[in-house]
Amino acid sequence: MNITKEQIDDLNAVVKVAISKEDYQDKVEKILKDYRKQANIPGFRKGQVPMGLIKKQYGKAVLVDEVNKLLQDNLNKYLTEEKLDVLGNPLPKQQENFDWDNDNLDFEFELGLAPNFDVNLKTKKAVTQYKIVADKKMIDEQVERIQKQYGKLVSKDEVGKKDEVTGFFANEEEDIDHKTTIEINNIKSKKAVDALVGKKVGDSVTLSTKSLFKEDYLLSSALGIARDKTDKLNIDVTFTIEEINEREPAKLDQELFDKLFGEGKVTSEKELKERIKEDSEKQFEQQSDQKLLNDITEKLIDDTKFELPAEFLKKWIQISGENVLSEDEAKEEYEKSEKGLRYQLIEGKIIQENNLQVQFDELKEFAKGFIKSQMAQYGHMDPKEEELESIAGRVLGNQDEVKRLSEQLMSQKLLDLYKEKANLKVKEVTYDDFVKEAYS
């Protein structure tokens, strides 16, 4: 067997594979002899079928199968030994008048080659790294929410502007008959607030669903119907009051602090606010990091210029799926995937040049940290090491989980690298300003 490469240009090549009869004959003969031993053909005893008949029935299929195996094994070996960085898979070139009866068989494969390029993490324009801070307004609102959440309900005779009202929403035509509790503070319509304030248990009021609540999702919950049915809902509903309560805020005392953070961990309102600020900003950091990762990705794609073997990739896309695509369909798929392919190449080069690797031990520690944070969400704040080890072992026994966690860990390694080497400018913002700037 002889394999040679013809370089067409920097991004395209043709590999030629010449296979002689000596490369496959022994294997084909052995398989056909095994077929002969097992063949059951009417008129002949088992194992006594003439070899000529076996070759006539099975010879071509066995030959094709064995030659294809030879091609696959040796072509892959050649690409590895020659260190050819190919995109997609080699595409066999169609050859006119190809004859499987020839002793010597010649094949050609088109290759799409990965481009050579440099990645500069110091992008031309600095990327904004947001530092989200919890301001006084946010902290005070969080303290108020905590007091409200852990406060107690006090029954009232009539509805006030800060009360919680339990009752039934009804509309016979729309088949609405749903018991719910609403907070007057969450009502957007001034007309609705005026209609409710001063009412007593047993009273009924008619409310319009249009712009009834400050948040749209509250209407779906209040009426007990699907969200997609409330998006443009504009009807009148009757609300019959069953219960009126005022929520008396919890006192900011040691009992509440211990309930929130554990005994003695927080001992004053000042420490409570400091803890809220710290916890909030830690959560904000995850959003800021994701935004930074996305922005640097976009910037690297824009700044790192290189050509791709586009025509080869379109042909490869056309035939590589379950169903063969038309040229137009393949072109459309290529255009959709080109940006992602570019970043795969850029990311691969960054990982290689900076020797970023995911080792099993650090993957295990990463998994344990992930498990610990998950357990904390359900109130299990201090799991034992042997418990984490056991759960991590089960998680890492699942290859899909290993892949998912490895990708997350590599993203974290890339993020750490970008923070160290990329051209960044830090901007301190409140959470509201971050949302406006990041997602406007």
Side-chain angles (χ1 to χ4, degrees):
M1 180 181 297
N2 186 40
I3 303 180
T4 57
K5 177 170 71 74
E6 178 187 347
Q7 194 75 29
I8 306 301
D9 55 40
D10 289 343
L11 299 174
N12 295 275
V14 172
V15 169
K16 299 179 179 180
V17 184
I19 296 179
S20 65
K21 188 174 184 179
E22 290 75 18
D23 294 320
Y24 60 80
Q25 186 176 21
D26 288 348
K27 186 70 173 176
V28 169
E29 290 290 341
K30 181 179 183 304
I31 292 172
L32 290 176
K33 285 178 183 177
D34 290 339
Y35 275 26
R36 186 184 181 216
K37 291 176 185 177
Q38 303 299 325
N40 285 310
I41 296 178
F44 300 95
R45 285 186 296 166
K46 186 175 180 180
Q48 299 300 315
V49 180
M51 181 57 80
L53 186 56
I54 294 293
K55 286 183 177 180
K56 185 176 180 180
Q57 285 198 354
Y58 304 109
K60 183 64 65 67
V62 171
L63 170 66
V64 171
D65 188 47
E66 287 307 309
V67 168
N68 280 329
K69 287 178 184 177
L70 271 175
L71 279 171
Q72 188 69 44
D73 293 344
N74 287 278
L75 188 56
N76 287 339
K77 184 180 177 183
Y78 175 81
L79 296 177
T80 301
E81 290 176 347
E82 295 295 315
K83 297 180 180 178
L84 295 177
D85 192 1
V86 299
L87 302 179
N89 292 314
L91 291 180
K93 291 185 71 174
Q94 298 297 321
Q95 300 179 60
E96 293 183 9
N97 303 319
F98 184 85
D99 188 358
W100 283 99
D101 291 327
N102 288 337
D103 288 345
N104 298 316
L105 303 170
D106 295 317
F107 301 89
E108 294 185 357
F109 295 87
E110 295 180 64
L111 301 182
L113 304 176
N116 290 317
F117 59 91
D118 295 318
V119 180
N120 185 4
L121 294 180
K122 295 287 184 184
T123 52
K124 297 173 185 176
K125 186 177 179 182
V127 177
T128 300
Q129 180 182 4
Y130 290 97
K131 177 176 172 54
I132 308 171
V133 296
D135 59 2
K136 182 178 183 303
K137 177 174 176 284
M138 172 178 281
I139 294 169
D140 289 343
E141 287 175 349
Q142 182 65 12
V143 170
E144 190 177 324
R145 277 195 290 271
I146 289 171
Q147 287 183 277
K148 189 174 181 180
Q149 180 182 349
Y150 289 90
K152 63 180 180 179
L153 293 177
V154 179
S155 181
K156 290 186 62 180
D157 293 330
E158 62 181 46
V159 179
K161 288 189 175 181
K162 293 185 178 181
D163 293 341
E164 298 179 11
V165 185
T166 300
F168 276 90
F169 275 107
N171 179 295
E172 191 173 342
E173 290 181 5
E174 297 291 333
D175 196 27
I176 295 171
D177 184 17
H178 188 249
K179 183 176 181 177
T180 189
T181 298
I182 59 175
E183 296 181 32
I184 303 301
N185 276 337
N186 287 332
I187 295 178
K188 179 179 180 181
S189 166
K190 184 178 182 301
K191 186 177 179 182
V193 172
D194 291 342
L196 285 163
V197 170
K199 293 297 185 290
K200 298 180 178 180
V201 171
D203 290 346
S204 295
V205 293
T206 299
L207 305 173
S208 171
T209 59
K210 185 178 181 181
S211 301
L212 179 58
F213 292 102
K214 294 176 182 177
E215 300 290 344
D216 292 339
Y217 74 89
L218 291 172
L219 182 61
S220 169
S221 174
L223 301 184
I225 58 178
R227 175 74 186 272
D228 59 353
K229 293 183 179 178
T230 62
D231 288 342
K232 295 182 180 180
L233 192 65
N234 184 11
I235 60 171
D236 287 338
V237 289
T238 300
F239 183 66
T240 303
I241 298 171
E242 280 199 343
E243 188 179 338
I244 305 165
N245 291 296
E246 178 184 13
R247 189 171 287 273
E248 187 178 284
K251 292 180 180 179
L252 296 176
D253 56 17
Q254 195 60 47
E255 182 182 353
L256 177 62
F257 302 152
D258 290 347
K259 191 179 294 184
L260 290 169
F261 302 106
E263 189 173 347
K265 298 288 180 66
V266 170
T267 59
S268 67
E269 183 177 342
K270 180 184 177 183
E271 288 182 13
L272 169 67
K273 290 183 176 181
E274 288 172 351
R275 182 65 179 265
I276 290 172
K277 180 178 174 64
E278 179 186 335
D279 291 348
S280 297
E281 290 178 356
K282 189 176 290 185
Q283 291 180 0
F284 296 154
E285 190 176 350
Q286 295 177 2
Q287 290 176 267
S288 173
D289 282 350
Q290 188 59 56
K291 171 67 175 166
L292 178 62
L293 197 59
N294 293 343
D295 288 348
I296 290 180
T297 297
E298 291 292 331
K299 202 71 186 144
L300 288 172
I301 293 171
D302 289 342
D303 285 4
T304 309
K305 306 296 184 185
F306 54 82
E307 296 296 321
L308 290 170
E311 293 308 312
F312 169 84
L313 289 170
K314 289 173 193 173
K315 282 197 281 187
W316 177 70
I317 288 170
Q318 189 174 1
I319 66 170
S320 63
E322 290 184 12
N323 300 311
V324 176
L325 304 179
S326 68
E327 287 187 16
D328 287 342
E329 288 171 332
K331 180 182 177 183
E332 184 179 348
E333 283 299 312
Y334 172 74
E335 289 170 353
K336 287 179 185 176
S337 60
E338 182 187 1
K339 190 174 183 180
L341 175 58
R342 286 183 177 278
Y343 185 65
Q344 282 181 20
L345 292 170
I346 292 169
E347 185 183 83
K349 194 161 185 81
I350 292 170
I351 290 170
Q352 181 186 28
E353 290 182 347
N354 292 276
N355 197 28
L356 300 181
Q357 299 175 3
V358 173
Q359 305 290 348
F360 180 77
D361 287 346
E362 60 183 350
L363 181 62
K364 187 177 181 181
E365 289 304 310
F366 184 75
K368 283 158 66 175
F370 179 77
I371 293 162
K372 193 172 182 179
S373 66
Q374 292 289 101
M375 295 172 78
Q377 292 181 19
Y378 295 95
H380 193 358
M381 306 301 294
D382 192 24
K384 294 181 179 179
E385 180 64 20
E386 53 265 32
E387 186 178 7
L388 291 173
E389 282 279 342
S390 175
I391 298 173
R394 291 199 298 273
V395 169
L396 296 177
N398 182 317
Q399 288 305 307
D400 290 337
E401 285 297 307
V402 169
K403 183 174 182 293
R404 183 177 67 84
L405 289 170
S406 296
E407 288 171 352
Q408 289 182 3
L409 180 53
M410 182 54 74
S411 289
Q412 185 60 52
K413 285 175 174 281
L414 285 166
L415 183 65
D416 292 341
L417 178 72
Y418 296 155
K419 286 181 177 180
E420 178 188 349
K421 295 188 175 182
N423 183 14
L424 305 178
K425 60 177 181 181
V426 178
K427 184 174 184 180
E428 193 169 288
V429 292
T430 64
Y431 183 73
D432 288 343
D433 288 340
F434 171 74
V435 171
K436 287 175 188 175
E437 289 193 31
Y439 304 113
S440 60

